[in-house]
Amino acid sequence: SYELTQPPSVSVSPGQTASITCSGDKLGDKFASWYQQKPGQSPVLVIYQDSKRPSGIPERFSGSNSENTATLTISGTQAMDEADYYCQAWDSNTSVFGGGTQLTVL
Amino acid sequence: EVQLVESGGGLVKPGGSLRLSCAASGFTFYNYDMNWVRQAPGKGLEWVSSISSTTRYIYYADSVKGRFTISRDNAKNSLYLQMNSLRAEDTAVYYCARVTNSGYDSWGQGTLVTVSS
């Protein structure tokens, strides 16, 4: 079965750039989405189709996807961006999530 | 405003059954594929099942295949998940989520299912 691998945790200082990776076999041939989840809340879509932002998502969130790795980049990271982030892609009619990355802003 | 409201969660013994519901509003329900996604306590997101807008296509994760059944009633703007032969490892918050070309663009608040004796 298809798997997506994320680092368990990433730390970033306020105002700096955070990058969260998601690896999967030929992931670049699929569309990747990214979800933000804060404690006690439902996930929120922050990036879809590799690099597009839904309305209401700040411009500091961006994404890319090439070959075997999708990357979520948060520029000028703010304290409010501290959350868990999950990548997701579709493979053979099944939805696959990465294991999640806890982003700490300190 | 798109709203998805899950219900039906609770405490159930191993081997028991439970039926989850998801009431949709604020959009044309019958135009959208829908999914169930779950999250065990302290763990990540796990896809459970998908159903197409017309119910023609239905898919399940291997972990629930043969035990769970997804369905929908487009006249009632509702999505369901019938869960049988429940196991401790099915304990999770269950979310219904709307599927678009943009991914899962709307999520419910989730309903907690606890399987324990």
Side-chain angles (χ1 to χ4, degrees), chain A residues 33 35 37 41-45 48-49 86 88 90 93-95 97-99, chain B residues 35 37 39 43-45 47 50 59 95 99 101-105 107-109:
Chain A
S33 298
Y35 301 87
Q37 187 180 34
Q41 297 183 18
S42 302
V44 173
L45 178 68
Y48 68 97
Q49 292 181 8
Y86 296 90
Q88 179 265 334
W90 289 91
N93 298 311
T94 64
S95 176
F97 287 94
Chain B
N35 279 206
V37 176
Q39 186 170 35
K43 303 297 184 181
L45 300 173
W47 172 74
S50 298
Y59 304 100
Y95 296 100
V99 182
N101 289 337
S102 309
Y104 295 106
D105 70 342
W107 298 68
Q109 86 288 351

Side-chain angles (χ1 to χ4, degrees), chain B residues 64-81:
Chain B
V64 306
K65 201 173 296 182
R67 301 187 299 121
F68 289 12
T69 302
I70 192 171
S71 62
R72 63 190 295 164
D73 186 335
N74 286 341
K76 295 183 177 179
N77 292 338
S78 292
L79 175 72
Y80 306 102
L81 186 68

Side-chain angles (χ1 to χ4, degrees), chain A residues 25-72:
Chain A
D25 185 48
K26 298 180 181 178
L27 179 56
D29 293 344
K30 311 177 191 299
F31 275 137
S33 298
W34 290 91
Y35 301 87
Q36 176 194 69
Q37 187 180 34
K38 297 182 178 179
Q41 297 183 18
S42 302
V44 173
L45 178 68
V46 294
I47 293 290
Y48 68 97
Q49 292 181 8
D50 298 337
S51 60
K52 298 178 181 178
R53 276 180 296 105
S55 60
I57 300 301
E59 290 184 8
R60 63 180 180 273
F61 288 86
S62 62
S64 63
N65 185 14
S66 179
E67 297 187 355
N68 298 314
T69 304
T71 303
L72 172 69

